[in-house]
DNA sequence: CTTTTTCCCTGGACGC
DNA sequence: TGCGTCCAGGGAAAAA
């Protein structure tokens, strides 16, 4: 499930390949992808557009074209890019002006493609996303402000993209373990030093994920087919019953905000 | 306003 | 082998 490190890895693979290339032909095979807009209309908007850069904000990929028009791609659960032929799960195919193909694959069809005009890009993203956790503006004070007054479990608050852009289920659990904070703690009850630990935990977990080029569990892969190795670094995620790497206590599993949640009952006290 | 629940999707794992 | 059930979960939308 692509979260910030996975999406950033995809971005860094695509950017050098697509920069300066033109979308010569665009075929969208699944009407769900562009809903509520007609696939043909979206394809037509994209044909002839020249890529200025591929950027990322939260879990969104931004294909910026000359003039500022932007394609926002969200991979959701199983979206990925590759260039292989004959993929039964191909939902869109872009032929570039150098003749190569860029295939968008999405088994579960949760992913979305949205074309937005230049002046709409920032408002669309700012309405949905909080700070970029790896950028300068994201400090302990900013995190404190985002958690203040929220009685929801801190894990639920972390999954809210307006709290920390790009966090997902895996990195939220890993960050909370690093911070030694129980996922069900009400967000507003965290003490100042706990928020500082959480801030560090968020950054560390994401940085390790980036260094490992993401986690490949089921579907995620880079455009060239390489897999991430972050799954080898998990401290708690998916490790129910296995010993906590810090204290040896068996990892427990619960549910938060409808998501599987793994934690160490000794290191992360309620 | 905030928080919780439901829904969308499919393949894989599992029990019988 | 085959069938039914559950699970994975990001985010929009509805419900509380």
């Amino acid at each position: 499930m692509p979260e910030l490190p996975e999406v950033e890895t995809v971005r860094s693979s695509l950017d050098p390949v697509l920069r300066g290339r033109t979308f010569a032909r665009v075929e969208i095979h699944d009407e769900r992808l562009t809903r509520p807009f007609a696939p043909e209309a979206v394809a037509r908007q994209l044909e002839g557009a020249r890529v200025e850069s591929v950027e990322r904000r939260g879990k969104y990929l931004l294909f910026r074209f000359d003039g500022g028009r932007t394609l926002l791609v969200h991979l959701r659960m199983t979206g990925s890019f590759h260039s292989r032929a004959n993929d039964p799960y191909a939902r869109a195919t872009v032929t570039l002006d150098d003749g190569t193909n860029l295939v968008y694959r999405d088994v579960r069809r949760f992913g979305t493609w949205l074309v937005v005009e230049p002046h709409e890009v920032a408002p669309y993203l700012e309405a949905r996303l909080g700070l970029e956790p790896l950028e300068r503006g994201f400090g302990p004070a900013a995190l404190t402000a985002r958690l203040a007054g929220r009685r929801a479990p801190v894990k639920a608050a972390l999954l809210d993209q307006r709290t920390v852009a790009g966090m997902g289920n895996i990195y939220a659990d890993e960050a909370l373990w690093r911070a030694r904070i129980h996922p069900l703690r009400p967000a507003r009850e965290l003490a100042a030093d706990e928020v500082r630990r959480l801030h560090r935990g968020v950054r560390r977990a994401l940085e390790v994920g980036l260094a490992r080029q993401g986690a490949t569990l089921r579907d995620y892969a880079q455009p060239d087919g390489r897999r991430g190795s972050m799954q080898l670094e998990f401290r708690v995620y998916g490790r129910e019953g296995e010993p906590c790497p810090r204290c040896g206590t068996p990892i427990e599993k619960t549910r938060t905000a409808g998501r599987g949640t793994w934690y160490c009952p000794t290191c992360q006290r309620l």
Side-chain angles (χ1 to χ4, degrees):
Chain A
M1 44 234 70
E3 304 179 26
L4 188 153
E6 288 77 20
V7 178
E8 177 58 27
T9 302
V10 170
R11 186 210 64 77
S12 68
S13 298
L14 291 179
D15 183 67
V17 175
L18 293 183
R19 223 172 242 266
R21 291 264 75 89
T22 296
F23 280 22
R25 179 161 162 72
V26 177
E27 293 167 283
I28 294 169
H29 321 298
D30 178 9
E31 78 288 343
R32 248 201 82 89
L33 185 62
T34 55
R35 241 172 27 178
F37 304 104
E40 303 78 24
V42 174
R44 211 97 325 123
Q45 279 185 303
L46 294 171
E47 281 178 345
R50 181 174 171 275
V51 179
E52 193 173 278
S53 62
V54 183
E55 298 169 22
R56 179 195 59 76
R57 179 80 170 84
K59 299 174 196 168
Y60 289 89
L61 284 169
L62 285 68
F63 295 78
R64 281 195 189 278
F65 301 104
D66 288 349
R69 183 178 271 182
T70 300
L71 169 65
L72 295 178
V73 172
H74 199 303
L75 304 173
R76 297 290 176 99
M77 302 302 298
T78 55
S80 66
F81 284 97
H82 65 76
S83 53
R84 306 187 302 274
N86 305 318
D87 180 351
Y89 299 107
R91 307 304 182 194
T93 305
V94 177
T95 304
L96 302 173
D97 58 344
D98 64 357
T100 60
N101 275 347
L102 179 66
V103 176
Y104 174 73
R105 168 191 173 92
D106 190 352
V107 172
R108 284 165 66 181
R109 304 166 62 206
F110 278 4
T112 54
W113 281 27
L114 177 68
V115 175
V116 290
E117 298 304 319
H119 64 281
E120 299 173 323
V121 179
Y124 183 90
L125 294 173
E126 297 320 302
R128 290 166 174 78
L129 304 174
L131 293 172
E132 282 294 323
L134 297 180
E135 290 182 1
R136 284 210 177 281
F138 179 72
L143 183 56
T144 301
R146 296 285 179 166
L147 297 176
R150 304 185 61 168
R151 68 186 65 205
V154 61
K155 164 124 187 224
L158 281 179
L159 291 175
D160 182 342
Q161 297 302 292
R162 292 168 302 181
T163 308
V164 183
M167 288 296 287
N169 203 41
I170 291 173
Y171 294 93
D173 280 2
E174 296 295 306
L176 287 165
W177 179 84
R178 286 171 183 273
R180 305 195 305 280
I181 294 169
H182 195 289
L184 295 180
R185 284 279 303 284
R188 64 178 182 181
E189 290 180 13
L190 295 188
D193 69 306
E194 291 180 309
V195 177
R196 276 194 294 273
R197 297 206 307 261
L198 183 56
H199 172 260
R200 287 181 72 86
V202 165
R203 283 207 157 160
R204 286 281 164 78
L206 293 173
E207 283 164 359
V208 174
L210 270 178
R212 298 287 178 271
Q213 298 178 302
T216 297
L217 291 178
R218 301 169 191 85
D219 303 277
Y220 165 75
Q222 298 170 51
D224 61 7
R226 281 183 300 163
R227 301 154 69 81
S229 59
M230 178 61 191
Q231 68 279 4
L232 306 176
E233 302 286 335
F234 288 165
R235 304 294 200 265
V236 288
Y237 180 85
R239 300 189 60 231
E240 186 179 9
E242 294 178 47
C244 168
R246 195 159 43 213
C247 75
T249 305
I251 301 300
E252 291 186 4
K253 182 187 183 184
T254 182
R255 280 190 94 76
T256 321
R259 306 301 182 238
T261 298
W262 290 266
Y263 66 101
C264 170
T266 299
C267 296
Q268 300 166 265
R269 299 216 186 261
L270 197 56

